[in-house]
Amino acid sequence: MALSVSYGERYGWTVVQVAGEVDISGVSALRERLQRLVTEGCLRMVVDISRVDFCDSTGFAVLVATRRMLSSRGGRLRLILPGPETHTRKILQLFGIQRIFDVHDSVDDALADLRETVMNETRPPAAADGAEAVPRPREGSRAVAD
């Protein structure tokens, strides 16, 4: 299967979706995309390789290089691995991927702390006495009941 790389943004993080085979024949496309994102200013990145069927040492080296590049600029990288029983995950574990990267099982898991932060920022503040805060009309305006 040919390598496919796409990306988007969630909660201020760039989410890169990688699918197919990351080997010597397709690794340059992945390297170029990740490097371009970092040089364009992306400092928080989630790389989802959960749909990667095969990843050799060249693919692993690109992930490590991207992590270093981000780290040198004050950035962060979170990695989504293939399922626990897949051959690709077992190979990556032999490379020591979980000691090097902030590893998660899904993009939702990787961004869970950010999702909760966004949710908390959109909730109205609680009243000081613990009662629910009730919106009050501003001075000079009238509240109209139906």
Side-chain angles (χ1 to χ4, degrees), residues 115-144:
R115 183 176 56 243
E116 289 180 21
T117 300
V118 168
M119 293 300 290
N120 289 334
E121 289 173 356
T122 60
R123 289 187 188 137
D129 63 359
E132 285 192 43
V134 177
R136 298 177 188 231
R138 290 188 205 149
E139 182 99 8
S141 66
R142 289 190 357 220
V144 179

Side-chain angles (χ1 to χ4, degrees), residues 76-90:
R76 296 181 55 199
L77 186 138
R78 295 177 180 179
L79 190 63
I80 312 305
L81 293 180
E85 299 302 316
T86 62
H87 180 69
T88 302
R89 185 173 186 144
K90 290 175 184 176

Side-chain angles (χ1 to χ4, degrees), residues 2 8 13-15 34 36 39 42 49 53 58-60 66 71 81 84 91-92 94 110 113 120:
W13 284 64
T14 301
V15 178
L34 294 176
R36 186 174 329 128
T39 58
C42 167
I49 60 170
D53 301 320
T58 60
F60 182 73
T66 303
S71 184
L81 293 180
I91 295 299
L92 291 170
L94 290 174
D113 59 329
N120 289 334

Side-chain angles (χ1 to χ4, degrees), residues 1-145:
M1 181 173 163
L3 181 68
S4 164
V5 180
S6 60
Y7 64 95
E9 189 173 312
R10 283 179 66 186
Y11 305 113
W13 284 64
T14 301
V15 178
V16 181
Q17 302 281 339
V18 184
E21 296 184 1
V22 182
D23 58 13
I24 194 77
S25 64
V27 76
S28 62
L30 179 61
R31 179 186 311 108
E32 288 171 17
R33 171 63 67 198
L34 294 176
Q35 286 178 349
R36 186 174 329 128
L37 286 168
V38 175
T39 58
E40 289 174 354
C42 167
L43 294 179
R44 296 178 297 180
M45 186 181 299
V46 175
V47 179
D48 181 355
I49 60 170
S50 64
R51 296 186 348 216
V52 167
D53 301 320
F54 177 81
C55 183
D56 66 10
S57 61
T58 60
F60 182 73
V62 166
L63 294 172
V64 170
T66 303
R67 182 187 167 282
R68 284 186 184 146
M69 190 176 194
L70 281 166
S71 184
S72 72
R73 295 168 186 224
R76 296 181 55 199
L77 186 138
R78 295 177 180 179
L79 190 63
I80 312 305
L81 293 180
E85 299 302 316
T86 62
H87 180 69
T88 302
R89 185 173 186 144
K90 290 175 184 176
I91 295 299
L92 291 170
Q93 286 174 325
L94 290 174
F95 290 144
I97 201 155
Q98 291 176 305
R99 288 188 319 252
I100 299 169
F101 292 93
D102 182 5
V103 174
H104 299 271
D105 290 324
S106 70
V107 173
D108 286 338
D109 288 346
L111 299 176
D113 59 329
L114 303 167
R115 183 176 56 243
E116 289 180 21
T117 300
V118 168
M119 293 300 290
N120 289 334
E121 289 173 356
T122 60
R123 289 187 188 137
D129 63 359
E132 285 192 43
V134 177
R136 298 177 188 231
R138 290 188 205 149
E139 182 99 8
S141 66
R142 289 190 357 220
V144 179

